[in-house]
Amino acid sequence: MKKASLPAIAATAVLCFIFWLLLTGQLASLIAGEPSLEVLIAGCLVSIGVAAFSARFFIHEKPFFFFNPVRIFWLLVYCICIFPVELFKANWDVARRALSPGLPIDPGIVKIPVDLKSQYGQAMLADSITLTPGTIIMNTVEEDGKNYYYVHWINVASEDHEEAGQAIKGRLEKWAERIWE
Amino acid sequence: MIYVVYALIVFSAFFALAGVVGMLRMPDTFCRMQSSTNITTFGMIGVIAGGVLYSGFVLHNYEMLIKLLVMGLFYILTTPISAHAIAKGAYHHGNKMIDEAVCDQYKEDMQQ
């Protein structure tokens, strides 16, 4: 694995510091205008130390790629408006299957193509699909420069790669592309 | 506002119940995991959203609110990763799908 560059370490340190603020409860006192200076300095030192060791696992592409208001805005829209709707539909569907007397399931593992190039985008799409009930990503594979997911699907509607991909990904892939590419 | 909190908690209790019933009734490991995702998404998000509204609008305790949001964030980030790992591990360990399974394209590709 290649060594991390200085901007990569800086980007990881900023992210670590934000989580330090959240976890130590300093954000509320920072907003109120009475931050505790010792805690902030300790947070800086610790996050730079952690970033120096962990940046090479965490950042493989352009480091400050994500610190871009447009991307963060689309990510918030996705998290607040788009994903919960998909989550509700899928949750309702699986809850109905689990509670109905006949247990109407047709499980199976299908292979679906993914058109995203960015690793972060692929990871976000895979996590979104796994988080919706009814589909779990089991493995990813790269064949001839194209990426595929193996998905365990509780109601196999189609065994064709493209059709199954459309049914599972829906509009999630378009949004992942908008956020990460 | 307190009634919204009650409604959210009852809502997520319903999905948690459906998830538990599903886990008891489903025939194989992977289907059981599918059903348990019901609990880990809406069963948990409803409770966290209820807690956020309660701490924000009833208790006015904003430190608690931020901690709940951080809990929810880490919950959402870590659950799918463990699900990938468990599903793949279970498959390679030799857990079989039920015989009525429609297709297994993973096995077909592994045999090549």
PDB file of all heavy atoms in Angstrom, chain A residues 70-88:
ATOM      1  N   VAL A  70     -21.429  21.713  -2.835  1.00  0.00           N
ATOM      2  CA  VAL A  70     -22.456  21.126  -3.707  1.00  0.00           C
ATOM      3  C   VAL A  70     -22.641  19.656  -3.373  1.00  0.00           C
ATOM      4  O   VAL A  70     -23.769  19.161  -3.221  1.00  0.00           O
ATOM      5  CB  VAL A  70     -22.056  21.305  -5.190  1.00  0.00           C
ATOM      6  CG1 VAL A  70     -23.095  20.695  -6.090  1.00  0.00           C
ATOM      7  CG2 VAL A  70     -21.873  22.769  -5.503  1.00  0.00           C
ATOM      8  N   ARG A  71     -21.497  18.937  -3.227  1.00  0.00           N
ATOM      9  CA  ARG A  71     -21.589  17.516  -2.893  1.00  0.00           C
ATOM     10  C   ARG A  71     -22.252  17.295  -1.544  1.00  0.00           C
ATOM     11  O   ARG A  71     -23.072  16.396  -1.383  1.00  0.00           O
ATOM     12  CB  ARG A  71     -20.196  16.902  -2.839  1.00  0.00           C
ATOM     13  CG  ARG A  71     -19.592  16.707  -4.181  1.00  0.00           C
ATOM     14  CD  ARG A  71     -18.267  16.006  -4.044  1.00  0.00           C
ATOM     15  NE  ARG A  71     -17.390  16.388  -5.125  1.00  0.00           N
ATOM     16  CZ  ARG A  71     -17.579  16.028  -6.377  1.00  0.00           C
ATOM     17  NH1 ARG A  71     -18.595  15.262  -6.697  1.00  0.00           N
ATOM     18  NH2 ARG A  71     -16.755  16.410  -7.304  1.00  0.00           N
ATOM     19  N   ILE A  72     -21.893  18.146  -0.555  1.00  0.00           N
ATOM     20  CA  ILE A  72     -22.472  17.959   0.776  1.00  0.00           C
ATOM     21  C   ILE A  72     -23.970  18.241   0.736  1.00  0.00           C
ATOM     22  O   ILE A  72     -24.763  17.536   1.358  1.00  0.00           O
ATOM     23  CB  ILE A  72     -21.738  18.851   1.795  1.00  0.00           C
ATOM     24  CG1 ILE A  72     -20.299  18.354   1.923  1.00  0.00           C
ATOM     25  CG2 ILE A  72     -22.420  18.817   3.137  1.00  0.00           C
ATOM     26  CD1 ILE A  72     -19.439  19.171   2.816  1.00  0.00           C
ATOM     27  N   PHE A  73     -24.366  19.247  -0.065  1.00  0.00           N
ATOM     28  CA  PHE A  73     -25.790  19.546  -0.210  1.00  0.00           C
ATOM     29  C   PHE A  73     -26.539  18.351  -0.797  1.00  0.00           C
ATOM     30  O   PHE A  73     -27.567  17.917  -0.262  1.00  0.00           O
ATOM     31  CB  PHE A  73     -25.960  20.788  -1.094  1.00  0.00           C
ATOM     32  CG  PHE A  73     -27.389  21.081  -1.430  1.00  0.00           C
ATOM     33  CD1 PHE A  73     -28.246  21.612  -0.481  1.00  0.00           C
ATOM     34  CD2 PHE A  73     -27.881  20.808  -2.694  1.00  0.00           C
ATOM     35  CE1 PHE A  73     -29.558  21.871  -0.796  1.00  0.00           C
ATOM     36  CE2 PHE A  73     -29.199  21.064  -3.015  1.00  0.00           C
ATOM     37  CZ  PHE A  73     -30.039  21.593  -2.063  1.00  0.00           C
ATOM     38  N   TRP A  74     -25.997  17.772  -1.890  1.00  0.00           N
ATOM     39  CA  TRP A  74     -26.684  16.629  -2.509  1.00  0.00           C
ATOM     40  C   TRP A  74     -26.711  15.445  -1.556  1.00  0.00           C
ATOM     41  O   TRP A  74     -27.693  14.700  -1.498  1.00  0.00           O
ATOM     42  CB  TRP A  74     -26.033  16.219  -3.819  1.00  0.00           C
ATOM     43  CG  TRP A  74     -26.323  17.137  -4.964  1.00  0.00           C
ATOM     44  CD1 TRP A  74     -25.399  17.725  -5.769  1.00  0.00           C
ATOM     45  CD2 TRP A  74     -27.596  17.558  -5.450  1.00  0.00           C
ATOM     46  NE1 TRP A  74     -26.025  18.499  -6.712  1.00  0.00           N
ATOM     47  CE2 TRP A  74     -27.361  18.417  -6.544  1.00  0.00           C
ATOM     48  CE3 TRP A  74     -28.904  17.312  -5.056  1.00  0.00           C
ATOM     49  CZ2 TRP A  74     -28.393  19.015  -7.258  1.00  0.00           C
ATOM     50  CZ3 TRP A  74     -29.933  17.902  -5.766  1.00  0.00           C
ATOM     51  CH2 TRP A  74     -29.673  18.737  -6.839  1.00  0.00           C
ATOM     52  N   LEU A  75     -25.624  15.283  -0.766  1.00  0.00           N
ATOM     53  CA  LEU A  75     -25.602  14.176   0.198  1.00  0.00           C
ATOM     54  C   LEU A  75     -26.698  14.354   1.239  1.00  0.00           C
ATOM     55  O   LEU A  75     -27.391  13.398   1.593  1.00  0.00           O
ATOM     56  CB  LEU A  75     -24.230  14.098   0.875  1.00  0.00           C
ATOM     57  CG  LEU A  75     -24.055  12.944   1.840  1.00  0.00           C
ATOM     58  CD1 LEU A  75     -24.109  11.626   1.097  1.00  0.00           C
ATOM     59  CD2 LEU A  75     -22.744  13.039   2.574  1.00  0.00           C
ATOM     60  N   LEU A  76     -26.894  15.615   1.698  1.00  0.00           N
ATOM     61  CA  LEU A  76     -27.950  15.857   2.688  1.00  0.00           C
ATOM     62  C   LEU A  76     -29.323  15.603   2.089  1.00  0.00           C
ATOM     63  O   LEU A  76     -30.185  15.000   2.732  1.00  0.00           O
ATOM     64  CB  LEU A  76     -27.865  17.293   3.211  1.00  0.00           C
ATOM     65  CG  LEU A  76     -26.737  17.546   4.206  1.00  0.00           C
ATOM     66  CD1 LEU A  76     -26.743  19.004   4.621  1.00  0.00           C
ATOM     67  CD2 LEU A  76     -26.886  16.666   5.419  1.00  0.00           C
ATOM     68  N   VAL A  77     -29.532  16.067   0.831  1.00  0.00           N
ATOM     69  CA  VAL A  77     -30.825  15.813   0.174  1.00  0.00           C
ATOM     70  C   VAL A  77     -31.065  14.314   0.094  1.00  0.00           C
ATOM     71  O   VAL A  77     -32.156  13.823   0.397  1.00  0.00           O
ATOM     72  CB  VAL A  77     -30.845  16.441  -1.235  1.00  0.00           C
ATOM     73  CG1 VAL A  77     -32.071  15.998  -2.000  1.00  0.00           C
ATOM     74  CG2 VAL A  77     -30.819  17.943  -1.144  1.00  0.00           C
ATOM     75  N   TYR A  78     -30.006  13.578  -0.285  1.00  0.00           N
ATOM     76  CA  TYR A  78     -30.130  12.123  -0.405  1.00  0.00           C
ATOM     77  C   TYR A  78     -30.492  11.495   0.929  1.00  0.00           C
ATOM     78  O   TYR A  78     -31.380  10.652   1.013  1.00  0.00           O
ATOM     79  CB  TYR A  78     -28.802  11.559  -0.917  1.00  0.00           C
ATOM     80  CG  TYR A  78     -28.741  10.075  -1.002  1.00  0.00           C
ATOM     81  CD1 TYR A  78     -29.365   9.405  -2.045  1.00  0.00           C
ATOM     82  CD2 TYR A  78     -28.068   9.344  -0.043  1.00  0.00           C
ATOM     83  CE1 TYR A  78     -29.302   8.047  -2.123  1.00  0.00           C
ATOM     84  CE2 TYR A  78     -28.003   7.978  -0.120  1.00  0.00           C
ATOM     85  CZ  TYR A  78     -28.625   7.329  -1.162  1.00  0.00           C
ATOM     86  OH  TYR A  78     -28.571   5.984  -1.228  1.00  0.00           O
ATOM     87  N   CYS A  79     -29.810  11.929   2.006  1.00  0.00           N
ATOM     88  CA  CYS A  79     -30.026  11.298   3.306  1.00  0.00           C
ATOM     89  C   CYS A  79     -31.376  11.655   3.904  1.00  0.00           C
ATOM     90  O   CYS A  79     -31.934  10.883   4.658  1.00  0.00           O
ATOM     91  CB  CYS A  79     -28.939  11.709   4.295  1.00  0.00           C
ATOM     92  SG  CYS A  79     -27.358  11.047   3.878  1.00  0.00           S
ATOM     93  N   ILE A  80     -31.891  12.873   3.590  1.00  0.00           N
ATOM     94  CA  ILE A  80     -33.111  13.313   4.256  1.00  0.00           C
ATOM     95  C   ILE A  80     -34.350  13.013   3.422  1.00  0.00           C
ATOM     96  O   ILE A  80     -35.386  12.641   3.970  1.00  0.00           O
ATOM     97  CB  ILE A  80     -33.000  14.810   4.611  1.00  0.00           C
ATOM     98  CG1 ILE A  80     -31.900  15.008   5.655  1.00  0.00           C
ATOM     99  CG2 ILE A  80     -34.303  15.337   5.140  1.00  0.00           C
ATOM    100  CD1 ILE A  80     -31.516  16.439   5.852  1.00  0.00           C
ATOM    101  N   CYS A  81     -34.273  13.190   2.100  1.00  0.00           N
ATOM    102  CA  CYS A  81     -35.484  13.043   1.281  1.00  0.00           C
ATOM    103  C   CYS A  81     -35.549  11.726   0.512  1.00  0.00           C
ATOM    104  O   CYS A  81     -36.586  11.093   0.471  1.00  0.00           O
ATOM    105  CB  CYS A  81     -35.602  14.179   0.272  1.00  0.00           C
ATOM    106  SG  CYS A  81     -35.493  15.790   1.012  1.00  0.00           S
ATOM    107  N   ILE A  82     -34.455  11.311  -0.132  1.00  0.00           N
ATOM    108  CA  ILE A  82     -34.548  10.214  -1.089  1.00  0.00           C
ATOM    109  C   ILE A  82     -34.467   8.865  -0.395  1.00  0.00           C
ATOM    110  O   ILE A  82     -35.339   8.001  -0.554  1.00  0.00           O
ATOM    111  CB  ILE A  82     -33.413  10.319  -2.131  1.00  0.00           C
ATOM    112  CG1 ILE A  82     -33.376  11.706  -2.759  1.00  0.00           C
ATOM    113  CG2 ILE A  82     -33.568   9.260  -3.190  1.00  0.00           C
ATOM    114  CD1 ILE A  82     -34.592  12.059  -3.540  1.00  0.00           C
ATOM    115  N   PHE A  83     -33.415   8.688   0.421  1.00  0.00           N
ATOM    116  CA  PHE A  83     -33.174   7.367   0.980  1.00  0.00           C
ATOM    117  C   PHE A  83     -34.270   6.904   1.936  1.00  0.00           C
ATOM    118  O   PHE A  83     -34.690   5.752   1.856  1.00  0.00           O
ATOM    119  CB  PHE A  83     -31.796   7.347   1.649  1.00  0.00           C
ATOM    120  CG  PHE A  83     -31.342   5.999   2.054  1.00  0.00           C
ATOM    121  CD1 PHE A  83     -31.328   4.968   1.132  1.00  0.00           C
ATOM    122  CD2 PHE A  83     -30.951   5.747   3.340  1.00  0.00           C
ATOM    123  CE1 PHE A  83     -30.928   3.718   1.497  1.00  0.00           C
ATOM    124  CE2 PHE A  83     -30.543   4.493   3.708  1.00  0.00           C
ATOM    125  CZ  PHE A  83     -30.537   3.475   2.786  1.00  0.00           C
ATOM    126  N   PRO A  84     -34.791   7.773   2.847  1.00  0.00           N
ATOM    127  CA  PRO A  84     -35.865   7.302   3.733  1.00  0.00           C
ATOM    128  C   PRO A  84     -37.091   6.796   2.988  1.00  0.00           C
ATOM    129  O   PRO A  84     -37.735   5.846   3.452  1.00  0.00           O
ATOM    130  CB  PRO A  84     -36.188   8.540   4.564  1.00  0.00           C
ATOM    131  CG  PRO A  84     -34.945   9.295   4.595  1.00  0.00           C
ATOM    132  CD  PRO A  84     -34.312   9.097   3.259  1.00  0.00           C
ATOM    133  N   VAL A  85     -37.410   7.395   1.830  1.00  0.00           N
ATOM    134  CA  VAL A  85     -38.576   6.928   1.077  1.00  0.00           C
ATOM    135  C   VAL A  85     -38.344   5.503   0.582  1.00  0.00           C
ATOM    136  O   VAL A  85     -39.191   4.616   0.735  1.00  0.00           O
ATOM    137  CB  VAL A  85     -38.856   7.889  -0.098  1.00  0.00           C
ATOM    138  CG1 VAL A  85     -39.982   7.361  -0.949  1.00  0.00           C
ATOM    139  CG2 VAL A  85     -39.190   9.261   0.421  1.00  0.00           C
ATOM    140  N   GLU A  86     -37.148   5.275  -0.008  1.00  0.00           N
ATOM    141  CA  GLU A  86     -36.813   3.933  -0.483  1.00  0.00           C
ATOM    142  C   GLU A  86     -36.806   2.947   0.690  1.00  0.00           C
ATOM    143  O   GLU A  86     -37.284   1.821   0.578  1.00  0.00           O
ATOM    144  CB  GLU A  86     -35.425   3.940  -1.129  1.00  0.00           C
ATOM    145  CG  GLU A  86     -35.307   4.843  -2.331  1.00  0.00           C
ATOM    146  CD  GLU A  86     -36.087   4.303  -3.513  1.00  0.00           C
ATOM    147  OE1 GLU A  86     -36.088   3.080  -3.700  1.00  0.00           O
ATOM    148  OE2 GLU A  86     -36.704   5.113  -4.219  1.00  0.00           O
ATOM    149  N   LEU A  87     -36.265   3.419   1.824  1.00  0.00           N
ATOM    150  CA  LEU A  87     -36.179   2.572   3.013  1.00  0.00           C
ATOM    151  C   LEU A  87     -37.574   2.182   3.482  1.00  0.00           C
ATOM    152  O   LEU A  87     -37.821   1.029   3.832  1.00  0.00           O
ATOM    153  CB  LEU A  87     -35.450   3.369   4.102  1.00  0.00           C
ATOM    154  CG  LEU A  87     -34.684   2.624   5.153  1.00  0.00           C
ATOM    155  CD1 LEU A  87     -33.704   1.688   4.504  1.00  0.00           C
ATOM    156  CD2 LEU A  87     -33.949   3.592   6.035  1.00  0.00           C
ATOM    157  N   PHE A  88     -38.504   3.149   3.454  1.00  0.00           N
ATOM    158  CA  PHE A  88     -39.860   2.846   3.915  1.00  0.00           C
ATOM    159  C   PHE A  88     -40.526   1.821   3.010  1.00  0.00           C
ATOM    160  O   PHE A  88     -41.143   0.863   3.487  1.00  0.00           O
ATOM    161  CB  PHE A  88     -40.700   4.121   3.977  1.00  0.00           C
ATOM    162  CG  PHE A  88     -42.080   3.855   4.480  1.00  0.00           C
ATOM    163  CD1 PHE A  88     -42.300   3.673   5.833  1.00  0.00           C
ATOM    164  CD2 PHE A  88     -43.142   3.738   3.616  1.00  0.00           C
ATOM    165  CE1 PHE A  88     -43.568   3.387   6.312  1.00  0.00           C
ATOM    166  CE2 PHE A  88     -44.407   3.452   4.074  1.00  0.00           C
ATOM    167  CZ  PHE A  88     -44.615   3.275   5.435  1.00  0.00           C
TER     168      PHE A  88
END
